[in-house]
Amino acid sequence: MVADWYDGFELTSLWSKDDSRYTLTLVNHGDTPVSGFSLGFSGPAPVSMDSPITGGRMVQRLSNYCEIAAPADFTLAPGGSWVIEIGKLDFPIRHWTDGTTTAFVILADGDIRPALTRPVGLAGSDATRKRGTMAMPVPEAPPVPVSIVPWPKLVEVGGRRTPPLGLAIMGENEATETVADNFTALTQFLFPGEGLVRDDEEGGYPVDIRFDRDLAEDGYVITFSTEGAEIAGGAYTGLFYGLVTLGQIQRGARLHPQSFSFPTEGTIEDSPQMRWRGCHLDVARRFYSSEEVKQFLAIMAWNKLNVFHWHLSDDESWRIEIEAYPELVEKAAFRGHGLDIPPLLGSGPENTGGYYTKDAIRDIVAVGEDFGIEIVPEIDVPGHCYAMLQALPQLKDAGENGLYYSIQSFPNNCLNPAVDAVYDVVETIFGEMIELFPSAFFHVAPMKCRWMPGPARPRPMPCARTSASKAPRLCRQRSCGACRNSSPRRARSQVRGKKRRSAAASTRTIAISSAGTR
């Protein structure tokens, strides 16, 4: 049912799991008949290339985007419906968000009209559609007295007081004041207007912070008394995590006073069991602005995670400015009808997407450092490079005359190691990126790669036996024992950015991970 004022198109869909049939129904709520039109739609589940289609004809398909044309002799009258039966998807719809999420009508004159797109229904079911994460209720009688995530190694606290309105943090020197300032910035990101950090004149709970070199670098100790609390940290991150823990205790006791307490005596001690506590964000398939990424970093810091894995490229887009190749963001950072990359994963016909300038990258990296988070960039090569190849067609193999598809149904999406230009482009890109990211890790994802053989032969690659002090030796063996047996946890190559690398950067070894992501 649509509002009385709506005079556009409406698309509904129905999935039948018994016979794997997907039915689309387009309704014309306007007052003008249309003919010679087509329907563009996208969502996670791609229509199979060999799918039988009843009621229309497939005219374009890339991964999860599909365009189906109405029959030449068909007219969709006002109030009328057009039904399309799709016999096969690349994978079955297991959740209502797998179906079509955005659709639009392409009229005979090329004009684009958005369609009100309803969530997919399941044949024979009227169950309520659920989305997102379910909020877990706070128990009235939890098994622990204070609210802390993750749970520390030692919690020995007692007493109870009215939860303070905020924390008045006092550092012993400039270094500790920097920790306090960055923790304040974190709370303003996450809880604006709460005044979690405030002056003692405004009711702040006294908190003294200091460094204790006898503690682990990421470790801390909180000591409670009736007059306030003291936090000792082994280094910057330890002190920062101690403040996060105290902030969690304060918010838990203030928001859920029947469940959690704010102690007046005792000690809490903690240090991480895992050095790498990471979280991954894919901004290639769905773009997030710089402010959204900073918010994500703040959420990570509040949960004491310390590695941000930033997925910056994939088949669907390219998200980082490269000065040597401006085409990457000009052509591969945006999707839309009529662009090099069509609407995908529910994006509409409009120009949709974005990219991060180098200044934006530097700003985000600095925020990560303030929050104790290392940022590891990921660039997918040689697989998952459809967007990159649309922007840089010189990387395509002119002799490649076959057709292959990735698991996400992108055609010919791999860089070919037989094309010499590939090496120079990848080296240039990595060189510019290394200057932006101080992390010792750089994730390259060489997985699920296929290409059709052409007349050229791949260039020999640097051997893993090469030492950091010597020029790369080319491995000309078909199966090099040293390369095969080298540990994936160790640096397997050095990325050399030539002129784009500073003298300091040129002495740094970059550990390149070959772990793949889907």
Side-chain angles (χ1 to χ4, degrees), residues 85-113:
E85 296 278 357
I86 298 172
K88 183 180 179 183
L89 302 180
D90 277 2
F91 59 83
I93 294 177
R94 296 183 176 89
H95 189 267
W96 66 267
T97 54
D98 288 341
T100 299
T101 53
T102 303
F104 54 94
V105 175
I106 307 163
L107 300 179
D109 61 0
D111 193 19
I112 303 297
R113 302 289 178 83

Side-chain angles (χ1 to χ4, degrees), residues 311-505:
H311 188 122
L312 289 163
S313 78
D314 216 296
D315 290 313
E316 291 83 355
S317 66
W318 182 278
R319 301 300 192 194
I320 181 170
E321 175 189 17
I322 301 296
E323 293 175 359
Y325 303 105
E327 311 96 304
L328 284 169
V329 294
E330 291 170 358
K331 296 184 177 182
F334 298 91
R335 304 193 289 257
H337 180 69
L339 300 182
D340 291 282
I341 304 174
L344 294 169
L345 295 168
S347 59
E350 302 83 6
N351 188 319
T352 304
Y355 66 93
Y356 307 99
T357 65
K358 288 190 171 183
D359 285 342
I361 296 283
R362 295 185 185 99
D363 187 31
I364 291 169
V365 168
V367 170
E369 291 177 346
D370 290 346
F371 293 167
I373 296 172
E374 178 180 358
I375 298 182
V376 176
E378 175 186 346
I379 293 295
D380 283 3
V381 290
H384 289 247
C385 287
Y386 181 86
M388 182 182 185
L389 289 166
Q390 302 313 298
L392 303 176
Q394 65 269 31
L395 302 185
K396 297 179 181 180
D397 182 1
E400 185 178 75
N401 53 18
L403 182 64
Y404 61 88
Y405 286 89
S406 70
I407 191 172
Q408 287 91 3
S409 299
F410 283 94
N412 295 34
N413 71 331
C414 295
L415 300 180
N416 193 328
V419 177
D420 280 344
V422 165
Y423 297 86
D424 295 330
V425 169
V426 170
E427 185 177 271
T428 299
I429 290 171
F430 286 2
E432 289 196 27
M433 291 184 63
I434 287 169
E435 293 181 343
L436 297 173
F437 295 96
S439 172
F441 296 92
F442 189 113
H443 184 180
V444 180
M447 68 296 191
K448 300 191 291 290
C449 293
R450 301 172 60 194
W451 55 79
M452 306 303 293
R457 293 184 177 274
R459 179 192 297 182
M461 296 297 290
C463 176
R465 293 172 293 180
T466 302
S467 68
S469 62
K470 298 180 181 179
R473 287 169 29 197
L474 296 181
C475 181
R476 301 183 181 276
Q477 304 178 41
R478 185 172 181 85
S479 177
C480 171
C483 293
R484 185 177 65 248
N485 295 327
S486 61
S487 169
R489 290 183 173 269
R490 298 181 180 179
R492 292 204 272 183
S493 65
Q494 293 190 37
V495 180
R496 304 181 184 277
K498 294 185 176 179
K499 299 179 181 179
R500 291 166 297 282
R501 295 188 59 180
S502 65

Side-chain angles (χ1 to χ4, degrees), residues 12 20 38 64 73 76 90 137-138 151-152 154 188 198 202 224 314 339 349 358 375 384 445 453 462 466 483 511 513:
T12 59
S20 300
S38 60
N64 50 76
D73 58 352
L76 182 57
D90 277 2
V138 176
W151 191 249
L154 174 68
Q188 291 170 345
R198 60 179 66 197
E202 298 184 1
F224 293 92
D314 216 296
L339 300 182
K358 288 190 171 183
I375 298 182
H384 289 247
T466 302
C483 293
S513 166

